[in-house]
Amino acid sequence: MSGRSVWLLALPLAASAIRGLVQPIIKLGLAWWPNPIGAVVIGYTVSSAVLVISARLRSMSGATFDRRGALWFSAVGICNGLAVLAMYAALGNGPVTVVSPLIASYPLVTLLLSRVFLKDEPVGTLLIGGRRRYGRWGHLADPHLKNGMASSRSKDV
């Protein structure tokens, strides 16, 4: 496996580990200060600061900003903010062992909405099951993937 393949595999696994760690920490924070709205404001303020710093650093390297997607990203940001608020409220009122698995079912909603809104996106039983040609995560190391799209040689089996 090349260094890039390892990086492409490590990145989502690290994100998954961090995301899994976040919910019990949120539950601890809400035990000390049971205010989901305040928690969302603090969380998004910190996230915004990281985003602004990252954008500044990237713009110094000569990268440009394409405004065509700004409306869509804004809509996604509003939806994500509402989802996080609902998650914090649920974690504030229920046990993390019940709330967290329910929240983790969001990929099924993503698949359903992809099918409704993105007619060209293939959604089959293998995709729903999370399996690809090389197993659950192996498609990240598939040399036939270019820009996240599978070539004709990389198919679900």
Side-chain angles (χ1 to χ4, degrees):
M1 216 189 283
S2 72
R4 179 169 165 77
S5 296
V6 171
W7 172 249
L8 289 174
L9 184 59
L11 194 60
L13 290 176
S16 176
I18 292 168
R19 196 69 180 125
L21 181 65
V22 164
Q23 291 171 4
I25 291 173
I26 291 167
K27 182 67 175 177
L28 286 172
L30 289 170
W32 290 336
W33 185 43
N35 186 341
I37 293 175
V40 168
V41 169
I42 291 169
Y44 272 90
T45 301
V46 172
S47 294
S48 296
V50 169
L51 181 65
V52 167
I53 291 168
S54 174
R56 294 272 185 200
L57 292 173
R58 188 162 181 204
S59 68
M60 290 188 320
S61 70
T64 59
F65 177 71
D66 187 351
R67 297 180 190 270
R68 291 179 292 180
L71 181 62
W72 285 108
F73 289 129
S74 297
V76 167
I78 290 168
C79 291
N80 191 56
L82 292 172
V84 170
L85 179 60
M87 177 181 68
Y88 286 8
L91 286 169
N93 292 312
V96 72
T97 55
V98 172
V99 173
S100 187
L102 289 173
I103 292 167
S105 68
Y106 82 86
L108 297 175
V109 176
T110 302
L111 284 173
L112 177 65
L113 293 177
S114 292
R115 188 68 176 149
V116 170
F117 292 112
L118 304 172
K119 304 290 187 206
D120 294 336
E121 285 287 317
V123 177
T125 55
L126 294 174
L127 181 61
I128 291 170
R131 302 293 296 184
R132 298 275 305 174
R133 180 177 181 199
Y134 295 105
R136 176 174 229 161
W137 301 108
H139 66 283
L140 295 173
D142 186 347
H144 300 104
L145 289 178
K146 292 188 170 93
N147 299 326
M149 301 299 290
S151 70
S152 60
R153 293 181 56 193
S154 177
K155 298 200 184 313
D156 289 336
V157 289

